[in-house]
């Protein structure tokens, strides 16, 4: 019929008694919804429906009410439902409670924009939050909102996409020489001397060393197996799998570490395959804080010219030695228990720098010899 109104393919519009126009549509979830606002003209209502239809066709549409979920509720559920190591869970709970919920918890997910993130980060830093803590909080928030985008499809985009917010400058940590390692071992009570040497020559982490048992060490094969770690939680110590799947490994030990372990096992470790190798004076599992106080760590390392040196820095000695010995990136990743190349490349870069220093020293000698030639 001439003049008949064309029926829309998607959604419908109608004129209200107020003379404004209302738009309605069927979402991809099968629920009929009404536009959150009315329109002055029929044409405006139809344009709005066209935009919604294109979002549905591109797979970008999300139920509008989903974005009304508050970040505090969503973040709490995210942490609760993720499969996390106990220590990681406690860290996330701490970061969320201290740095995220007080500032952003009341905001609906859909209302969080990049400008919101910039303002939040500025408040953290201006309020005295150390930059490393601000970066960790940002990375946690980004992970939470990534789930809202990719899995739950609540958001179209993650507002945590600001360049540079996920990293901070870390001063280069000191690396002890072999002479300093042995001097530090000699300065320790006898039951901790081997701990220092093995930490420096194996590259194992504190939690991996603290969890080692007799059954994990094969002195004849000169290897140590890393099947677990010991995590210090707020209220308890807990044995669990290493930091990542790559952390489960067998590491070959140099003869010096084997000899230190052999003496230590004979003098300080109980019999039985399940006996812990490194324990406190009373045979209890090691806690880093108690260990530090028992050996007067800060004072001891300062007396050896290693002020500010951390136990974890011993790991750098072994990794640097391995890199300098020609270990490939994959081999370094295996020894370190890393699943990515980033950390291994750092040690190889350090070795490259040392190689250039050697070349420069050779140039100086060559030049000096050349000048003395007749």
């Amino acid at each position: 019929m001439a003049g008949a109104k064309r029926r829309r393919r998607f959604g419908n519009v109608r004129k209200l008694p107020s003379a404004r126009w209302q738009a309605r549509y069927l979402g991809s979830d099968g629920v009929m919804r009404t536009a959150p606002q009315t329109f002055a003209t029929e044409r405006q209502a139809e344009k709005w429906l066209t935009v919604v239809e294109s979002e549905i066709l591109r797979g970008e549409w999300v139920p509008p009410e989903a974005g009304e979920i508050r970040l505090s509720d969503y973040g709490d559920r995210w942490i609760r439902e993720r499969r996390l190591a106990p220590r990681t869970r406690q860290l996330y709970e701490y970061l969320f409670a201290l740095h995220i919920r007080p500032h952003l918890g009341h905001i609906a997910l859909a209302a969080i924009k990049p400008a919101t993130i910039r303002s939040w980060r500025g408040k953290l830093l201006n309020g005295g939050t150390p930059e490393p803590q601000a970066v960790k909080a940002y990375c946690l928030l980004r992970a939470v909102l990534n789930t809202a985008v990719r899995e739950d499809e609540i958001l179209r985009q993650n507002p945590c996409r600001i360049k540079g917010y996920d990293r901070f400058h870390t001063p280069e940590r000191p690396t002890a020489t072999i002479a300093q390692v042995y001097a530090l071992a000699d300065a320790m009570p006898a039951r901790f001397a081997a701990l220092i040497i093995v930490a420096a020559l194996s590259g194992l982490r504190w939690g991996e060393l603290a969890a080692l048992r007799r059954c994990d060490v094969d002195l004849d094969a000169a290897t140590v197996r890393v099947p677990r770690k010991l995590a210090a939680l707020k209220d308890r110590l807990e044995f669990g799998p290493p930091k990542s799947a790559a952390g489960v490994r067998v590491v070959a030990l140099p003869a010096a570490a084997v000899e230190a372990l052999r003496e230590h096992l004979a003098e300080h470790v109980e019999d039985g395959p399940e006996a812990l190798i490194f324990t406190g004076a009373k045979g209890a599992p090691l806690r880093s804080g108690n260990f530090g106080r028992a050996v007067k760590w800060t004072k001891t390392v300062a007396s050896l010219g290693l002020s500010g040196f951390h136990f974890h820095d011993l790991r750098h000695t072994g990794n640097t030695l391995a890199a300098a010995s020609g270990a490939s990136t994959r081999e370094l990743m295996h020894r370190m228990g890393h699943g990515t190349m980033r950390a291994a490349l750092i040690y190889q870069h350090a070795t490259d720098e040392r190689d250039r220093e050697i070349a420069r020293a050779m140039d100086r000698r060559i030049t000096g010899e050349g000048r003395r030639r007749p």
Side-chain angles (χ1 to χ4, degrees), residues 173-188 193 196-197 200-201 297 300-310 313-314 316-317 321:
R173 297 299 307 164
T175 301
T177 64
I178 293 299
Q180 288 173 321
V181 168
Y182 274 92
L184 181 57
D186 290 340
M188 294 286 112
I196 300 299
I197 294 171
L201 301 185
W297 180 269
T300 301
V301 295
S303 70
L304 299 172
L306 291 168
S307 294
F309 191 81
H310 300 162
D313 294 330
L314 289 167
H316 301 326
T317 297
L321 280 172

Side-chain angles (χ1 to χ4, degrees), residues 198 201-205 208 212 216-218 221-227 246-254 257-258 261 315 318-319 322 331-337:
V198 175
L201 301 185
S202 70
L204 268 62
R205 304 175 177 92
E208 296 168 344
L212 287 179
D216 300 322
V217 175
D218 188 334
T223 60
V224 60
R225 185 169 58 99
V226 186
V248 180
R249 62 202 189 279
V250 176
V251 177
L253 299 175
V258 172
L261 271 176
R315 178 169 155 87
N319 294 336
E331 289 165 342
L332 281 173
M333 289 169 60
H334 170 75
R335 287 189 69 84
M336 296 163 64

Side-chain angles (χ1 to χ4, degrees), residues 6-25:
R6 179 179 61 84
R7 181 178 177 84
R8 284 190 56 82
R9 182 185 64 193
F10 174 80
N12 59 74
V13 299
R14 64 169 181 160
K15 193 171 186 178
L16 300 174
S18 63
R20 292 185 65 80
W21 291 83
Q22 181 187 70
R24 304 182 75 228
Y25 68 97

